[in-house]
Amino acid sequence: MQTYLKQVTPDSLAEAGAIIRSGGLVAFPTETVYGLGADALNENAAAKIYEAKGRPSDNPLIAHIADMDMLEEVCTDIPEEAYMLADRFWPGPLTMILKKKDIVPNETTGGLDTVAVRMPDNPVALELIRQSGTPIAAPSANTSVRPSPTTAQHVYGDLDGRIPMILDGGDVIIGIESTIIDLTSEIPAVLRPGYITPGDIEALIGSV
Ligand code: AMP
Ligand code: MG
């Protein structure tokens, strides 16, 4: 497969959106790391991510959304805390685990009845999600043995020949992964530390 490394333009964004809609893969920048994206609601597309990364398919993916309508499209039983956290930290490097709707396939969630959701703070990522018209499942855009990529060149060096397109939106700003909080447990729990600290979260919703 030929891999096209493209600067972000209206044309390349439209092309990338068309690839996502048709079930293909596009690597794109978020503020944390470069992501390897596919339609989060298309089971075949999500499966392609595991294949390209060489990642075990029971490892769940984060669904990236562009607005709160998309949150309600993929999640149900959304607690008040989720809206408070979204209001304060989205767009940004906070991933929330919530109960999934049936529309989200098992390939995206690794068979779980919950889904990880986040709104990235990167204009290219947000515009790609809008153009695709669907939440985009995206782990870091590296094969499983390599570190998470912070430049489009890193992605190209690792995934050349495995994916059709890389959108070059410049270097990422944060370079570490999002904080993950589980809001489906009785007491919200931080599952993965990240840029946003437990203290930041506790200040808003109480102890975690
Ligand atoms: P990343 O590799 O940065 O894309 O992060 C994906 C990680 O999010 C997974 O390895 C899990 O640790 C976590 N994750 C995603 N979905 C869920 C979920 N439904 N429940 C718990 N953890 C999840
Ligand atoms: Mg990773």
Side-chain angles (χ1 to χ4, degrees):
M1 179 187 297
Q2 171 89 37
T3 301
Y4 292 95
L5 177 56
K6 299 213 170 178
Q7 292 298 319
V8 175
T9 63
D11 281 355
S12 65
L13 270 169
E15 200 183 328
I19 292 173
I20 298 285
R21 278 197 304 282
S22 69
L25 302 182
V26 175
F28 65 98
T30 75
E31 80 280 34
T32 58
V33 298
Y34 268 75
L36 179 58
D39 182 351
L41 306 184
N42 175 334
E43 57 192 50
N44 297 321
K48 283 185 193 168
I49 291 178
Y50 298 116
E51 196 185 320
K53 275 182 72 84
R55 172 176 178 151
S57 62
D58 59 354
N59 200 344
L61 303 170
I62 297 173
H64 293 71
I65 61 172
D67 54 48
M68 294 304 280
D69 286 348
M70 276 189 179
L71 178 71
E72 289 167 6
E73 189 186 337
V74 296
C75 298
T76 182
D77 301 343
I78 303 170
E80 189 53 34
E81 286 89 346
Y83 291 99
M84 292 165 68
L85 289 166
D87 206 45
R88 170 74 178 79
F89 295 114
W90 281 359
L94 181 71
T95 297
M96 297 193 232
I97 310 293
L98 294 162
K99 197 162 169 9
K100 85 172 184 75
K101 282 189 173 166
D102 289 344
I103 191 176
V104 184
N106 285 331
E107 284 71 9
T108 295
T109 65
L112 299 171
D113 62 0
T114 55
V115 62
V117 188
R118 142 175 140 79
M119 192 186 294
D121 187 15
N122 178 293
V124 176
L126 292 171
E127 187 54 27
L128 177 62
I129 298 163
R130 283 188 207 106
Q131 298 250 346
S132 304
T134 182
I136 297 182
S140 53
N142 53 298
T143 51
S144 289
V145 295
R146 297 276 214 105
S148 296
T150 54
T151 71
Q153 292 301 331
H154 290 167
V155 180
Y156 190 76
D158 192 15
L159 293 179
D160 180 24
R162 289 172 169 258
I163 61 175
M165 194 194 281
I166 301 164
L167 274 178
D168 185 351
D171 298 0
V172 305
I173 290 171
I174 293 182
I176 56 171
E177 261 108 357
S178 62
T179 305
I180 300 180
I181 181 162
D182 184 356
L183 292 175
T184 65
S185 47
E186 195 66 42
I187 296 170
V190 174
L191 301 185
R192 177 174 79 183
Y195 186 77
I196 292 170
T197 67
D200 296 333
I201 295 169
E202 278 176 12
L204 198 69
I205 63 166
S207 64
V208 291

